[in-house]
């Protein structure tokens, strides 16, 4: 069975993706900070007959990252690493003039430094997989200037660049930065509490886009999950490493026009 590590897997997109992979026979190593919520998420996967290891901790802790990779090694391999854990830097979000530098450091440590640290820890196993892949969950706040989203957006822009460089340095892997779009999540509720989120879709609605990447394995690049979920012919913002087209015409394209509110 293939093995995936998913961080931030107790709620929202991480939990929805874990459920979809479990239904498809993946063994999973799941991470989140709150042990009780993570254990409940893991128990919800009991009926699928796959092995699930739930390890509570903080991805900014190097020891915890090592535990996640060690658990995957115990399961026999590592085929997919999903960095979904995120920090906003301020809750609710504030203008840059008010953004505490300590909060910005937390966002950078969680969204960028921890992501790279986990990749570094996992590279040996990922290289050993014939289908090794890294998914960095990003945001349109990385490429568009939204008021109050500056700190979070800067951290996701840095994550995008790490993913792009990793793809160049590790041509044997697929490295996808994936913007999940505008979703109804606890993260968004904490960012903008005055927005009740009633008009935003559930995280499960974009999971088919992530599954499409795994099934078709297009070139490394930056993708938009909602477009991928709608079917062939959409989803790429940049990528292709030289413009090469992947399955179903997933080819490099110009950056998408910014519209709406930041995702995640």
């Amino acid at each position: 069975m293939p093995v995936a590590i998913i961080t931030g897997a107790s709620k929202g997109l991480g939990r929805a993706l874990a459920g979809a992979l479990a239904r498809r026979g993946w063994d999973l190593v799941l991470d989140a900070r709150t042990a009780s919520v993570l254990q409940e998420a893991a128990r919800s996967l009991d009926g699928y007959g796959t092995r699930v290891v739930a390890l509570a901790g903080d991805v900014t802790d190097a020891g915890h990252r090592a535990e996640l990779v060690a658990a995957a090694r115990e399961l026999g391999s590592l085929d997919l690493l999903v960095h979904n854990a995120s920090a906003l830097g301020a809750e609710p979000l504030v203008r840059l003039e008010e953004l505490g530098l300590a909060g910005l450091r937390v966002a950078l440590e969680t969204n960028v430094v921890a992501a790279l640290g986990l990749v570094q820890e996992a590279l040996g196993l990922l290289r050993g997989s014939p289908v090794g892949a890294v998914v960095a969950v990003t945001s349109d706040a990385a490429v568009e200037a939204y008021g109050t989203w500056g700190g979070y957006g800067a951290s996701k822009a840095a994550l995008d660049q790490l993913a792009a460089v990793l793809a160049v340095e590790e041509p044997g892997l697929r490295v996808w930065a994936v913007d999940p779009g505008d979703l109804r999540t606890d993260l968004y509720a904490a960012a903008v509490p005055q927005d009740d989120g009633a008009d935003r879709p559930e995280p499960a609605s974009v999971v088919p886009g992530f599954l499409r990447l795994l099934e078709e394995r297009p070139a490394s690049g930056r993708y938009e999950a909602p477009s991928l979920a709608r079917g062939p012919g959409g989803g790429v913002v940049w990528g292709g490493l030289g413009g090469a087209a992947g399955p179903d015409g997933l080819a490099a394209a110009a950056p998408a026009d910014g519209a709406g509110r930041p995702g995640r």
Side-chain angles (χ1 to χ4, degrees):
M1 289 185 178
V3 178
I5 294 174
I6 305 175
T7 67
S10 63
K11 303 178 189 177
L13 178 61
R15 180 168 179 167
L17 182 57
L21 292 179
R23 285 192 291 273
R24 285 159 178 79
W26 286 68
D27 291 331
L28 301 171
V29 179
L30 306 181
D31 148 273
R33 285 179 295 179
T34 305
S36 59
V37 182
L38 179 62
Q39 290 298 331
E40 192 278 325
R43 284 193 297 271
S44 73
L45 306 177
D46 285 347
Y48 298 120
T50 61
R51 296 174 294 175
V52 178
V53 180
L55 295 173
D58 192 323
V59 292
T60 64
D61 177 5
H64 177 60
R65 296 195 298 268
E67 289 175 350
L68 295 173
V69 176
R73 186 177 293 109
E74 285 293 314
L75 292 175
S77 67
L78 179 59
D79 306 285
L80 173 65
L81 172 59
V82 180
H83 185 74
N84 175 63
S86 291
L88 290 166
E91 297 182 12
L93 294 177
V94 295
R95 291 164 54 91
L96 289 175
E97 67 175 331
E98 304 169 55
L99 179 61
L101 298 185
L104 177 59
R105 291 188 184 98
V106 169
L108 292 168
E109 283 286 339
T110 303
N111 303 348
V112 186
V113 178
L116 177 57
L118 189 52
V119 165
Q120 291 173 335
E121 191 76 36
L123 265 179
L125 287 178
L126 288 167
R127 288 169 177 156
S129 168
V131 292
V134 176
V135 169
V137 179
T138 184
S139 168
D140 60 337
V143 296
E144 297 294 337
Y146 299 110
T148 74
W149 289 84
Y152 179 78
S155 72
K156 290 296 186 177
L159 179 63
D160 279 1
Q161 181 67 359
L162 284 183
V165 174
L166 181 64
V168 172
E169 295 178 346
E170 297 290 335
L173 303 179
R174 289 293 191 269
V175 183
W176 301 305
V178 184
D179 177 0
D182 195 20
L183 302 176
R184 190 182 311 171
T185 63
D186 286 356
L187 187 81
Y188 192 91
V192 190
Q194 66 271 24
D195 182 347
D196 65 10
D199 62 337
R200 290 185 289 124
E202 293 290 344
S205 67
V206 298
V207 167
F210 288 83
L211 298 178
R212 184 178 172 202
L213 289 174
L214 297 175
E215 291 164 1
E216 300 181 5
R217 291 184 59 79
S220 296
R222 191 181 197 277
Y223 290 81
E224 294 177 339
S227 296
L228 287 169
R230 286 194 289 269
V236 180
V237 177
W238 54 256
L241 298 182
D248 283 328
L250 290 177
D257 292 334
R261 296 163 297 180
R264 288 279 289 127

